[in-house]
Amino acid sequence: MQQVIIDCDPGIDDALALEFAIKSKELDVLAITVVAGNAPVDIGVENAFKVLERCDRLDIPVYRGAEAPLKRSYVSAQDTHGMDGFGESEIIRRSTVHVQEETAEAFLANFFAKKREVGILALGPLTNIALALKSNQKLGQNMQRFVTMGGTYKSHGNCSPVAEYNYWCDPDAAKVVYETLDTLVEMVGLDVTREIVFSPNILEYCHRISPDTGDYLRKLTRFYFDFHWQYEHLLGCVINDPLAVAYYISPEICSGFESYTTVETTGMSIGQTLVDRYNFWQKEPNAKILETVNTKEFFTQFLTVLLDAPEATIASDLNLLKLG
Ligand code: RIB
Ligand code: CA
């Protein structure tokens, strides 16, 4: 079992990723830190608690992080995730458990003041990570792994022709992390996450296997389905963040290459991931860029956990489903 801290901006796919990670037997989620991204940070905190309630894990501490990017003005993705950041699902929080007093960046900087067999799984803009790094330069050396959902190598962007939201929202934070974290940045970008389409077929299957979970997933993803149909004429929704969880658990689910990588912070291509695969800049690789994914293996792992069903059942049923 791997111990991990999840930094996120819940967010519909973050919510699915958090549930997947918390319920997985392979991960021990020590804490959740929230950053402004899909929704303003206080809405993100509320949504993190909604997931913890659903998983009956209100023992996991939640830390409130950055309200805005390092330099850019904050732009949310509430057009995609709903004003409540939860698909306007009307799913409400019942508990009154409070967020921790310590800020996310202070918690992360202090926690990694010494070497830990604990990794960070970053599912949103990297503002909290960059702030923690600025106060603790050993942050990267003291963590076990750093996996980030973000960026894109060859796939088109989702905020501009070349930029993916997490790095477009806070490009300065992404640049600081890639250039100074001093540990391999494992980038789960749009090149692989675009293969992960939570389709109406899969939603219907979830409902057949577990009606309650199916109802929850239907409420949570309806708004996301509508967005994807309206803007990409896609039936279903791309669930980016759960793939980062699956990759953290089973790195063999994706393949890629190591390369020096940084992020553009100005101009029309702001937020673009600059992947120097052919080493023009003669710099040591600082990132692992993932290019391919075993989609069936992802859905087998993801649905086995989310539906609390036998893996063999899910694996054989998935042969019947037209994935993607
Ligand atoms: O571009 C997709 C990423 O941005 C996902 O993490 C989504 O939740 C948003 O944070
Ligand atoms: Ca996210």
Side-chain angles (χ1 to χ4, degrees), residues 297-310:
E297 184 53 34
F298 165 78
F299 277 107
T300 301
Q301 281 191 34
F302 179 61
L303 296 179
T304 297
V305 171
L306 236 64
L307 303 175
D308 191 19

Side-chain angles (χ1 to χ4, degrees), residues 9 11-14 37-38 77 81 122-125 149-151 158-159 164-166 190 193 224 240-241:
D9 59 333
I12 294 165
D13 59 332
D14 300 71
N38 287 321
H81 293 261
L123 306 177
M149 190 281 135
N158 59 11
C159 284
E164 173 280 326
Y165 175 76
N166 287 333
L190 296 178
T193 66
Y224 215 22
N240 306 279
D241 294 337

